[in-house]
Amino acid sequence: MKETGTTRDAIVGIADTLFYERGFERTSFSDIADAVGISRGNFYYHFKSKDEILDAVIAVRSRNTRDMLARWEARSAGPAERILCYIRIVLTNRGKIMHHGCPVGSLSVELAKLDHPLRPDASAIFQVFRDWLAAQFAALGRAKDADVLAMHVLAFSQGVAVMDNAFRDKAFVQREVERMARWLADIAATPTT
Amino acid sequence: MKETGTTRDAIVGIADTLFYERGFERTSFSDIADAVGISRGNFYYHFKSKDEILDAVIAVRSRNTRDMLARWEARSAGPAERILCYIRIVLTNRGKIMHHGCPVGSLSVELAKLDHPLRPDASAIFQVFRDWLAAQFAALGRAKDADVLAMHVLAFSQGVAVMDNAFRDKAFVQREVERMARWLADIAATPTT
DNA sequence: GAACGACTAGGACAATTGTCCTACGATGCC
DNA sequence: GGCATCGTAGGACAATTGTCCTAGTCGTTC
C-alpha cells in the first residue's frame, strides 16, 4: 500500500513551496495541480481537504527543520558556532526572505489571522528551533536562562526577516547579524556562574 | 462635491480593521459591505477596485501613524522617553498583536507574497516610524548612526510581534521590552562624541 | 483471463470572488 | 415644477474557489 509516495510527495513538495511564496490562502488547488501536473479532481484521493495538505506541509517542514539542526549539530564544532549558524540564516536565505518573508513566521501570522485550527502546529516549528537553541545555550553554561536567550535569538531573526522584507537592505541585515554575533561572543566569553 | 465623507470613511475604516484582522486577501467586498451596512454593488461608486480601497487604507494608516507620533512628540519630555513609547508599543497593543500580528509588518509581508503593486506603499509606513525614530536618536546626540539605531528598534518590535503572535507569552514580551529599555538607557547615557 | 486493488482524469457542484450595470430615491439649482 | 447630480440598491456577470463523483486505466494476484 501507499507505494505511490511520488505523487503524494510531489503534491506536498509543491504545496510547501507555493504556500511559502504566495501564502496558504492565496494558493489554490488548481495552482498546485498545475504545478504537479495532475488533475484537480485526482487530488482528493491523496488528501481529503486543503487543510490536510497544510497539515502534511507543516509536518514536512518540521522534519526538514529537525534534519537541518541535526546537520548543524554534526558539522559544527561547539554550541556557540551552532547558534551562529542560526543567526546567519537570515543572510544565508536572504534572497527568499526578502521576497516572501520567513517561512515559519509568515505562515504562523497568516494562520493566526485566519483563526486556523492548525495555527498551533505551525507555531510548533518555532518550538523546534526554540528547544534546539535553548539546548545550545545550556551547553554554553547558561542552563538557567537558556530558554530566555533562545527566545531572544528567535525574535532577532524574525525582526530582521520582516525588516528585510520591507526595506530589502542587505547592509542592514549584515549589521544586525554582526551585532548579534558580538552579543553571542559576549555570552560565550562570560564564565559560567 | 464629496460631501459624503461618511460612507467613504466608513468603508475605509471597516476595511482598515478587517484587512488587519483577517488579512487583505481574505477580506472580501461582501465582508466590508456587510459590516458597513451598504450593498455590495454600491461599492464601486466610491472605489473603482479593491486595490483602491487598500490604497485608501494605507493612506489612513500612514496619517494615523504620523498623528500618533506627533502626539508622542507633544506629550513626552525628551527623545529617549519618546523612543521608549515606541518600544513599549508591543506591550500597549499586545492584545491585538497577539491575535493578528503587527498591522504594518503583516500587511507588508502579505503584499510581498502577492507581489502587489502597493507593497512599497505599505512599507512606507515603516519609513514613517524609521524617520521619526532616527530623528529622536539624532536629538539624543547620535546623528551619525541615527538611522542604524532606528532600524534596530524597528527590527526589535517586529521580532517581538511575530514571536508574541506565535507563543502568546506576556513574560517574554515584558523581558524583551525591559532589555530594550536598558539598551536605550545605555545609549542615552553615553556622552555624545 | 477474470477479478481486484491502487491510482488517475475529467467534469459537476454550489458558493463566492471582484467587477460592472441599470434603475431608483433624494437633494438642490434654475 | 422640472431637471440634473449625488448616492444607493440590487442584481447580472464570468471566473474561480474547495469539494465531490464517476468512469476509467493501470499492474498484480489468483
Side-chain angles (χ1 to χ4, degrees):
Chain A
M1 38 204 76
K2 191 171 289 189
E3 53 208 271
T4 311
T6 15
T7 302
R8 207 195 123 97
D9 290 352
I11 293 175
V12 175
I14 297 282
D16 185 7
T17 305
L18 293 181
F19 286 175
Y20 175 38
E21 295 181 351
R22 312 185 186 178
F24 170 68
E25 190 72 13
R26 216 347 167 49
T27 303
S28 74
F29 272 60
S30 304
D31 293 336
I32 305 175
D34 288 353
V36 177
I38 62 171
S39 79
R40 205 164 90 265
N42 177 21
F43 243 111
Y44 280 72
Y45 175 77
H46 299 280
F47 299 96
K48 277 196 277 291
S49 72
K50 197 181 177 186
D51 287 358
E52 221 167 79
I53 300 183
L54 176 60
D55 201 33
V57 166
I58 291 177
V60 160
R61 289 194 186 179
S62 192
R63 188 158 45 78
N64 289 346
T65 301
R66 281 176 225 272
D67 290 352
M68 182 183 69
L69 296 180
R71 281 198 304 275
W72 289 355
E73 197 97 23
R75 271 211 316 252
S76 301
E81 194 182 333
R82 287 176 203 144
I83 297 170
L84 203 58
C85 278
Y86 180 82
I87 290 175
R88 283 191 193 286
I89 209 173
V90 291
L91 266 175
T92 314
N93 297 345
R94 203 179 95 82
K96 290 181 183 177
I97 289 175
M98 217 171 42
H99 291 294
H100 316 108
C102 165
V104 192
S106 58
L107 180 66
S108 190
V109 172
E110 182 180 1
L111 295 187
K113 280 186 198 278
L114 303 181
D115 248 323
H116 198 285
L118 288 178
R119 185 199 70 84
D121 300 68
S123 301
I125 304 181
F126 269 136
Q127 188 70 46
V128 174
F129 282 112
R130 181 178 180 175
D131 292 341
W132 183 85
L133 283 168
Q136 307 310 316
F137 280 113
L140 265 183
R142 296 293 290 256
K144 267 194 173 175
D145 55 351
D147 185 62
V148 167
L149 299 173
M151 284 292 281
H152 181 63
V153 174
L154 275 181
F156 150 82
S157 71
Q158 292 306 305
V160 171
V162 172
M163 298 306 288
D164 192 24
N165 188 259
F167 288 112
R168 313 197 165 177
D169 177 357
K170 185 171 185 180
F172 156 75
V173 180
Q174 286 174 326
R175 272 198 322 264
E176 290 296 318
V177 165
E178 284 161 20
R179 185 198 295 263
M180 208 61 190
R182 282 196 304 272
W183 171 87
L184 176 62
D186 269 2
I187 298 231
T190 303
T192 310
T193 51
Chain B
M1 37 206 77
K2 191 171 292 190
E3 51 209 272
T4 311
T6 14
T7 301
R8 208 195 121 97
D9 291 352
I11 292 175
V12 176
I14 297 280
D16 186 7
T17 305
L18 292 181
F19 286 176
Y20 175 39
E21 294 180 352
R22 311 183 186 180
F24 170 67
E25 190 72 13
R26 215 349 168 48
T27 303
S28 75
F29 273 60
S30 304
D31 293 336
I32 305 175
D34 288 353
V36 177
I38 62 171
S39 79
R40 206 164 89 265
N42 177 23
F43 244 111
Y44 281 73
Y45 175 78
H46 300 280
F47 300 95
K48 278 195 277 293
S49 71
K50 196 181 176 186
D51 287 357
E52 221 167 78
I53 301 183
L54 176 60
D55 201 32
V57 166
I58 290 176
V60 160
R61 290 193 186 179
S62 192
R63 188 157 44 77
N64 289 347
T65 301
R66 282 177 224 272
D67 290 351
M68 182 183 68
L69 296 180
R71 280 198 305 274
W72 288 356
E73 198 99 21
R75 270 210 317 248
S76 300
E81 194 181 333
R82 287 175 203 144
I83 298 170
L84 204 57
C85 277
Y86 180 82
I87 291 176
R88 284 190 192 286
I89 208 174
V90 292
L91 265 176
T92 313
N93 296 345
R94 202 179 95 83
K96 290 179 182 176
I97 289 176
M98 216 171 41
H99 290 294
H100 316 108
C102 166
V104 192
S106 58
L107 180 65
S108 189
V109 172
E110 182 179 0
L111 295 187
K113 279 187 199 279
L114 303 181
D115 250 322
H116 198 284
L118 287 178
R119 186 199 69 84
D121 300 67
S123 302
I125 304 181
F126 270 135
Q127 188 71 45
V128 174
F129 282 112
R130 181 179 179 173
D131 292 341
W132 183 85
L133 284 168
Q136 306 311 315
F137 279 113
L140 266 182
R142 295 294 291 257
K144 268 195 174 176
D145 56 352
D147 184 62
V148 168
L149 299 174
M151 284 293 280
H152 182 65
V153 174
L154 275 181
F156 150 82
S157 72
Q158 292 305 305
V160 172
V162 173
M163 298 306 288
D164 192 23
N165 188 259
F167 288 112
R168 316 199 163 175
D169 177 357
K170 185 171 186 182
F172 156 76
V173 180
Q174 285 174 327
R175 273 199 321 264
E176 289 298 318
V177 166
E178 283 161 19
R179 183 199 296 264
M180 208 61 190
R182 282 196 303 273
W183 171 87
L184 176 64
D186 269 2
I187 297 231
T190 302
T192 309
T193 51

